[in-house]
Amino acid sequence: MLFFRFLCIYALFFAFSFGIVWADKTSEAFAYLNSLRKNSGLVALKTNTLLQKAAKNHARYLIRHQNGGHYEDQKKAGFTGVTPTDRVLYAGYASKAVMENVSVNTKNAEESIDTLLAGIYHRFVFLNFEKDEIGIGYASKQERKGFFSAYVYDLGSTAANALCKTSYPMQNGVYYIQNICKNASLAIPNALYQQKEDEIRQKNSDIIMYPYANQHNVPPVFFDESPDPLPEYKVSGFPISVQFNPSRFNEVKLIKFQLFDEKQKEIKRKKILTHQNDMHRRFTPLQFALMPLKRLEYGKTYRVKFEALCDGKAVKRYWKFTTSKPEGKFHKITQKHTTLKIKKGQKNVFYFEPKHPKDLLACVSYTTGIRIGCIDQNTLWATVPLDFPDQSYVLKAGNRSVKLLID
């Protein structure tokens, strides 16, 4: 049986003995996420032990109760809070200004983060200008059935957390904000709050592009997220995004956003998401995304052209990135029935090119004598053992088949 990735998002700002194995894979996730942030032009996130405690508690809860989301039931064991905000407060964090990303059923930290970054709303959580600390939780179980692994990422602000630990005398003529701290009655001067948050923003680059310039091993595909920016598509290309630092820009008017393949041919099948047309109202006026409506190709270099008018001045960004390619002998399957020659002991990769926006591998038929696994919902790998007795085998995936002539 094959398992596929699943992810969900929760972004909140201002109140917005079970056979389980709890392994510590958080260091790997922390290092990988920070490497991507720094290469993109953002400050590295610091580890916060209280956020980490909250994230770990929720990861354990998800595996224990086979849940893949952000909410907990107070009647169930391991409950520490209904929402991410409730859980970080329970762990002792002082601020409610937190964001959470969750992924389940990914084989490692890198895949978890890449999958979340493929979802545009999840990406903006990881690449946030105001967040500068994080807690990462991981839990898994031995049996690869249902939800067998979970990564939880809770992001916060050192500025907001510090401000929520101090009391401020009320003064006439000063505007205060409330209900952003564990102490709900605490009122913080709005000007001070904005000043401290802006100090974090100022440490980041003016413009953040993702994938970043000259990035390699970029996943070629986006499948799904909740909420879904492309509800009519179950499979599409990896999004390209541009974000402007709110500490340096006020108004951005998009002029041009284009994607080109290696032959300099423009990818015409695309959707540009902005603050104006984002159906879920998650984009700010300073965020833009190009959503390719067809999967990008494996192991190819793409070029991006972005032009905008920013506070009356022209801004242009041209850059390139290269998509990943699975290890093994690669086969692109485009027909309903295909015949291929393969060698015993060799790892083979079968990419079933989607024929329509909802074309995913529904099931796979295989014998116990052939090792087979899932790379993504359009791509499989298979290895025929050296002692395999037959000279041919038919691999069936959905309504397509590949006849393997075994050497």
Side-chain angles (χ1 to χ4, degrees):
M1 183 177 293
L2 300 179
F3 296 94
F4 296 116
R5 297 182 291 249
F6 174 80
L7 56 91
C8 52
I9 185 171
Y10 182 99
L12 180 64
F13 189 68
F14 296 168
F16 185 86
S17 144
F18 292 84
I20 297 175
V21 177
W22 291 318
D24 182 12
K25 293 192 176 183
T26 59
S27 295
E28 178 187 350
F30 181 76
Y32 183 62
L33 177 57
N34 269 337
S35 70
L36 297 179
R37 279 180 58 94
K38 288 191 287 186
N39 287 330
S40 300
L42 293 163
V43 296
L45 298 169
K46 304 172 185 177
T47 297
N48 182 286
T49 56
L50 298 177
L51 291 176
Q52 191 163 348
K53 181 179 179 181
K56 187 175 182 179
N57 286 340
H58 189 52
R60 290 176 170 180
Y61 176 94
L62 296 179
I63 297 302
R64 185 188 304 243
H65 299 294
Q66 290 296 282
N67 187 337
H70 296 279
Y71 299 97
E72 295 186 4
D73 186 340
Q74 61 183 344
K75 298 178 181 179
K76 293 185 177 180
F79 170 83
T80 56
V82 174
T83 70
T85 297
D86 296 332
R87 294 191 292 273
V88 300
L89 297 183
Y90 177 87
Y93 198 67
S95 168
K96 296 180 180 179
V98 296
M99 290 178 153
E100 180 175 275
N101 269 348
V102 170
S103 73
V104 299
N105 289 5
T106 55
K107 63 176 177 284
N108 54 40
E110 184 172 326
E111 184 180 272
S112 167
I113 291 169
D114 284 343
T115 302
L116 287 161
L117 286 167
I120 193 63
Y121 301 125
H122 298 72
R123 179 185 302 179
F124 289 154
V125 171
F126 276 156
L127 304 184
N128 187 277
F129 284 102
E130 291 83 28
K131 299 296 180 272
D132 63 347
E133 59 182 355
I134 192 172
I136 303 175
Y138 173 81
S140 67
K141 65 176 184 177
Q142 293 178 337
E143 184 183 13
R144 292 178 67 84
K145 181 179 180 181
F147 293 139
F148 54 82
S149 69
Y151 283 90
V152 177
Y153 307 86
D154 286 334
L155 288 81
S157 161
T158 56
N161 198 45
L163 289 171
C164 285
K165 296 177 180 179
T166 307
S167 59
Y168 306 90
M170 301 293 286
Q171 301 178 18
N172 291 330
V174 177
Y175 176 66
Y176 294 82
I177 51 178
Q178 285 184 297
N179 199 32
I180 62 171
C181 303
K182 184 174 184 178
N183 179 359
S185 64
L186 184 64
I188 300 175
N190 181 61
L192 178 61
Y193 188 91
Q194 296 303 327
Q195 173 192 331
K196 294 300 182 181
E197 287 288 278
D198 203 54
E199 289 176 3
I200 297 176
R201 297 186 191 104
Q202 290 285 349
K203 296 177 182 179
N204 296 304
S205 298
D206 293 356
I207 304 173
I208 303 300
M209 299 102 67
Y210 200 88
Y212 55 79
N214 300 315
Q215 183 173 351
H216 287 75
N217 295 317
V218 176
V221 63
F222 162 62
F223 288 110
D224 220 342
E225 70 177 318
S226 178
D228 194 344
L230 297 175
E232 66 275 26
Y233 285 79
K234 293 298 182 183
V235 55
S236 57
F238 194 82
I240 296 90
S241 63
V242 179
Q243 302 177 82
F244 291 81
N245 194 325
S247 70
R248 299 186 179 94
F249 297 95
N250 295 309
E251 183 182 49
V252 177
K253 294 182 178 180
L254 180 63
I255 297 174
K256 184 180 297 184
F257 204 168
Q258 296 173 293
L259 179 65
F260 300 86
D261 64 16
E262 284 192 331
K263 297 179 180 180
Q264 298 302 309
K265 182 179 179 181
E266 183 178 0
I267 306 298
K268 294 286 189 179
R269 293 184 58 195
K270 65 183 180 182
K271 182 175 182 178
I272 305 297
L273 288 183
T274 68
H275 175 69
Q276 286 78 19
N277 67 1
D278 171 28
M279 69 175 69
H280 301 293
R281 296 304 192 191
R282 299 292 183 110
F283 277 59
T284 73
L286 302 182
Q287 294 175 329
F288 304 87
L290 186 155
M291 312 287 291
L293 298 182
K294 182 181 177 181
R295 274 188 69 133
L296 303 183
E297 295 291 336
Y298 280 117
K300 301 295 183 181
T301 297
Y302 291 85
R303 298 181 183 275
V304 187
K305 290 185 178 181
F306 180 91
E307 298 180 7
L309 195 64
C310 307
D311 297 327
K313 297 181 180 180
V315 170
K316 299 180 181 181
R317 291 290 187 274
Y318 307 140
W319 76 99
K320 63 181 179 180
F321 65 90
T322 302
T323 56
S324 60
K325 187 175 182 179
E327 294 183 2
K329 186 172 179 57
F330 186 81
H331 308 278
K332 183 177 179 179
I333 310 301
T334 61
Q335 304 299 319
K336 188 172 183 179
H337 302 291
T338 304
T339 300
L340 295 171
K341 293 183 179 180
I342 65 170
K343 295 182 178 181
K344 292 182 179 180
Q346 182 182 63
K347 182 178 181 180
N348 290 269
V349 175
F350 304 95
Y351 165 49
F352 294 81
E353 184 182 45
K355 296 300 182 182
H356 55 78
K358 298 183 179 181
D359 188 8
L360 304 177
L361 296 179
C363 61
V364 176
S365 299
Y366 61 95
T367 176
T368 54
I370 294 180
R371 295 191 295 273
I372 187 169
C374 168
I375 295 174
D376 65 37
Q377 296 182 64
N378 298 119
T379 315
L380 308 175
W381 66 266
T383 301
V384 178
L386 296 176
D387 58 354
F388 189 73
D390 300 329
Q391 293 183 325
S392 67
Y393 177 75
V394 177
L395 175 69
K396 296 181 180 179
N399 64 350
R400 284 185 270 184
S401 65
V402 181
K403 185 176 183 180
L404 305 179
L405 303 179
I406 302 169
D407 184 2

